[in-house]
Amino acid sequence: MLAHKAEEEGAAVVEYITKGYGHVNYNAIPSVMYTHPEVAWVGQNEQDLKNEGMLNRMKRLPWKITAADP
């Protein structure tokens, strides 16, 4: 996550220097929790979308840890 965030912020700095403005969309930067198994997400959570009155689709997928996983 830190590399993705730093890359976007670096691009925003260059835009700011060259164009006078720069923007980072923090909702489009992936996040991750380093657990076993790892968990990752991107965007807003369901409650934030409901509070803003936005329509959303969410899909939950089951995780299965197999004997081959470390």
Side-chain angles (χ1 to χ4, degrees):
M1 177 194 153
L2 296 177
H4 296 294
K5 181 177 178 289
E7 181 180 359
E8 290 298 316
E9 289 174 335
V13 168
V14 171
E15 287 177 352
Y16 182 78
I17 291 169
T18 59
K19 300 177 183 178
Y21 61 89
H23 175 72
V24 177
N25 182 358
Y26 289 100
N27 288 325
I29 298 173
S31 299
V32 65
M33 277 192 282
Y34 294 103
T35 58
H36 184 72
E38 290 183 353
V39 178
W41 65 95
V42 65
Q44 295 174 290
N45 65 35
E46 183 179 19
Q47 189 60 47
D48 289 342
L49 292 172
K50 284 182 181 179
N51 291 342
E52 293 178 12
M54 297 179 71
L55 297 175
N56 71 79
R57 282 190 203 166
M58 182 170 53
K59 183 163 186 155
R60 295 177 192 256
L61 301 170
W63 284 85
K64 180 179 179 185
I65 298 175
T66 65
D69 292 334

